[in-house]
Amino acid sequence: MKKAALILFSVFLLIVGGCSNNTSSEVDSNNNSESEKGLTGFQVSKEPVDMKIHLHHFDGQVIFNDDWPTFKKAAELTNVSLQGVAPKTSTDSQEAFNLMIASGEIPDLVQGTKADLMKYGKEGAFLPLNDLIEEHAPNIKKYLNEMEGLEEFATASDGKLYFVPFIADGEAQKGWFVRQDWLDKLGLKAPQTTEELYEVLKAFKEKDPNGNGKQDEIPYFSRISESLGELTILWGARNDLYLDGDKIKYGPYEEKYGTALSELAKWYEEKLIDPEIFTRGAKARDILLGNNQGGITHDWFGSTAGYNNLLKDQVAGFKFETFAPPENSDGEKIEPTVRDPYGDKAGIAIGYSTKDPVKAIKYLDFFYSEEGRRLMNYGVEGETYDLVDGKPVFKEEILSSPDVPTKLHEYGVQTLFSYHQDFEYEKQWLNPIALKGIEEYSANNYFAKPLPPFSFTEEEEKKITEIAADLKTYRDEMMQKWVLGAEKIDYEKFKNQLKSLGVEEYIDLHQKAYDRSMKK
């Protein structure tokens, strides 16, 4: 199917090629002949406007629904109604996006990743937005001017903006969790160092903390196999690019990475790590915590702390509490994840064939206003929230849901659209244990310094994309082989292969981009 999509896309390029050379100002002059005098409030048009949107993310967990109250309210305010065109039966968001592109039938608005929207924008599928934003989108323009790194993040290698970003809010996202009831039973304390973490994992494996007379505990588990890479920080290593002072480095290309993988392989051999870590998948927390078998994990604060409520009647004495990152071999407590404002790398683009790009950008600009931001973060007043002392407070039927984010998605709230998220929405439904963990991690600033948004030339971007794919494939393949014991660890051979795949050029290209950004 993907091959077919590529063939169709080549045909699409032939069709679009002659239409994609307009600048946004040229498009504007041809489509903004109507004088929209007398508009009130957030109105985009005096007459109702219908637009189509492709919005399909989380592999079909969120697909645009024409009946979402959030967007119905937006239609009342702006006079623009959206109709979803993404396939509701598809469970592969990337495939749905590829087929939409390949068809050549690009709707007015398209939700997608930064990489896809930039790539196909440069090929003519989406309009450049620079002039449209400058002339018709004061709210978006304000963000681009005032939010550090946003314009650089959203600008493609040809100097044009092809999408309006989703901007995340907050800082803490992941942290360490341990079965506190197990620690209490065994007379242990939450581990403070990597060595203590190892001892706690061994105790969980050998001393039957779940009390069923079997050695069936899974000391460390994760629902995301790639998260093993995050554990390399326990030995001072990193799993990807990172910033060390003013130097860009690639963690797997440094000796500490070999040490980290050797230790993880040892932990796996001693059955301290879930034997199905690479295959158990997204239900790992449900299964292992629900069966009273899982001991320690590193995962999102909000959803993981929520198991204290979900399992309070199922597992006697269940306490799954946060603890600080263990001090690593370098004497540092570091949380390798941080909620990057642009970390979701998603947003909304305007299709090349939209009838009125001015109305489209004005519609998107609404969601960057305070009213639009509140609508996307909290929904419709009186339906999903009430104003209390001037602040939106979710209704009890929302807060009592076992999965608040999923419940909000039913209203079109908190979708990956184009707006600035408000972390206060999350604080309302977070378990007190999650809030305590977030406050501790934030107060102590455990977070690793995030990489800045990079701006590359077209040639650099092409080379980086090519090298990055090869590096990731090889890194993940070797991590799995080494941890599972399928292949003896040979770090020098691994490092030489990274070099042959272009890791030094990869680092150098990022360093040059970083140095350029520092001179601005």
Side-chain angles (χ1 to χ4, degrees), residues 100-118:
M100 178 270 301
I101 286 288
S103 73
E105 296 180 8
I106 313 298
D108 301 284
L109 303 176
V110 175
Q111 185 272 343
T113 65
K114 168 185 173 178
D116 281 339
L117 299 180
M118 282 185 172

Side-chain angles (χ1 to χ4, degrees), residues 219-439:
Y220 179 84
F221 67 95
S222 177
R223 63 196 171 108
I224 307 168
S225 62
E226 290 88 346
S227 68
L228 271 188
E230 295 169 357
L231 300 194
T232 59
I233 195 67
L234 295 171
W235 295 274
R238 303 293 178 87
N239 198 46
D240 211 324
L241 288 172
Y242 71 101
L243 195 59
D244 183 9
D246 287 326
K247 294 294 181 183
I248 301 292
K249 295 184 178 180
Y250 184 67
Y253 198 52
E254 300 178 347
E255 298 293 331
K256 290 179 182 178
Y257 194 77
T259 301
L261 267 293
S262 295
E263 291 298 318
L264 287 173
K266 173 189 171 186
W267 287 15
Y268 184 87
E269 185 179 11
E270 295 180 12
K271 299 183 179 179
L272 306 184
I273 294 174
D274 183 8
E276 298 179 39
I277 189 76
F278 293 106
T279 57
R280 198 181 294 275
K283 294 293 185 182
R285 291 183 306 185
D286 298 337
I287 295 168
L288 296 177
L289 293 177
N291 290 340
N292 198 17
Q293 291 178 292
I296 290 178
T297 195
H298 179 255
D299 209 325
W300 287 79
F301 281 106
S303 58
T304 309
Y307 283 86
N308 287 283
N309 293 332
L310 290 172
L311 299 177
K312 64 182 179 181
D313 298 326
Q314 182 178 332
V315 180
F318 184 88
K319 288 183 183 178
F320 207 36
E321 298 191 355
T322 62
F323 65 100
E327 183 179 294
N328 66 21
S329 55
D330 292 335
E332 303 169 315
K333 287 179 175 285
I334 298 179
E335 170 51 50
T337 70
V338 62
R339 193 175 295 192
D340 183 345
Y342 321 123
D344 286 289
K345 295 180 174 61
I348 302 292
I350 298 177
Y352 77 96
S353 61
T354 188
K355 292 179 180 178
D356 198 328
V358 172
K359 289 186 175 67
I361 197 65
K362 285 183 175 181
Y363 178 71
L364 294 179
D365 192 59
F366 161 70
F367 293 97
Y368 265 65
S369 69
E370 283 304 310
E371 181 78 17
R373 185 185 184 197
R374 185 164 62 248
L375 184 63
M376 288 305 298
N377 276 287
Y378 299 98
V380 179
E381 183 181 358
E383 188 166 347
T384 52
Y385 78 91
D386 295 308
L387 281 178
V388 179
D389 297 328
K391 295 182 179 180
V393 177
F394 286 121
K395 288 182 171 292
E396 181 56 33
E397 53 262 40
I398 299 294
L399 295 176
S400 62
S401 172
D403 187 342
V404 173
T406 298
K407 183 67 175 177
L408 290 174
H409 288 160
E410 295 176 7
Y411 294 86
V413 179
Q414 289 291 332
T415 62
L416 282 180
F417 199 66
S418 57
Y419 67 99
H420 185 191
Q421 193 180 44
D422 181 0
F423 187 62
E424 292 300 317
Y425 110 90
E426 196 167 329
K427 284 185 178 180
Q428 291 190 36
W429 56 265
L430 283 176
N431 184 291
I433 290 171
L435 284 172
K436 176 174 172 289
I438 287 170
E439 289 168 2

Side-chain angles (χ1 to χ4, degrees), residues 16-166:
V16 175
C19 305
S20 61
N21 295 321
N22 289 338
T23 64
S24 54
S25 58
E26 288 172 335
V27 174
D28 175 29
S29 65
N30 291 331
N31 289 278
N32 197 33
S33 57
E34 176 190 358
S35 175
E36 291 288 359
K37 293 180 180 178
L39 296 179
T40 59
F42 297 102
Q43 280 188 338
V44 166
S45 170
K46 287 184 289 185
E47 299 299 323
V49 175
D50 293 322
M51 293 186 182
K52 294 181 179 180
I53 182 171
H54 176 102
L55 187 152
H56 190 297
H57 56 82
F58 300 149
D59 286 334
Q61 294 180 51
V62 180
I63 304 174
F64 190 88
N65 186 327
D66 299 358
D67 293 326
W68 276 342
T70 293
F71 287 89
K72 282 191 168 185
K73 184 64 176 179
E76 289 178 24
L77 295 170
T78 64
N79 229 359
V80 176
S81 298
L82 299 186
Q83 175 190 354
V85 295
K88 291 186 171 17
T89 56
S90 173
T91 57
D92 187 328
S93 292
Q94 186 63 56
E95 184 175 79
F97 180 92
N98 291 344
L99 290 176
M100 178 270 301
I101 286 288
S103 73
E105 296 180 8
I106 313 298
D108 301 284
L109 303 176
V110 175
Q111 185 272 343
T113 65
K114 168 185 173 178
D116 281 339
L117 299 180
M118 282 185 172
K119 175 183 177 181
Y120 294 112
K122 288 186 291 185
E123 293 182 5
F126 307 118
L127 294 178
L129 306 179
N130 305 59
D131 292 346
L132 286 168
I133 291 172
E134 178 68 27
E135 296 170 24
H136 305 289
N139 295 308
I140 297 172
K141 181 181 176 181
K142 187 170 187 277
Y143 265 86
L144 289 169
N145 289 338
E146 297 180 2
M147 191 163 188
E148 184 180 357
L150 178 60
E151 185 169 10
E152 189 169 27
F153 164 77
T155 301
S157 58
D158 62 0
K160 296 174 183 176
L161 282 79
Y162 292 102
F163 74 109
V164 181
F166 166 81

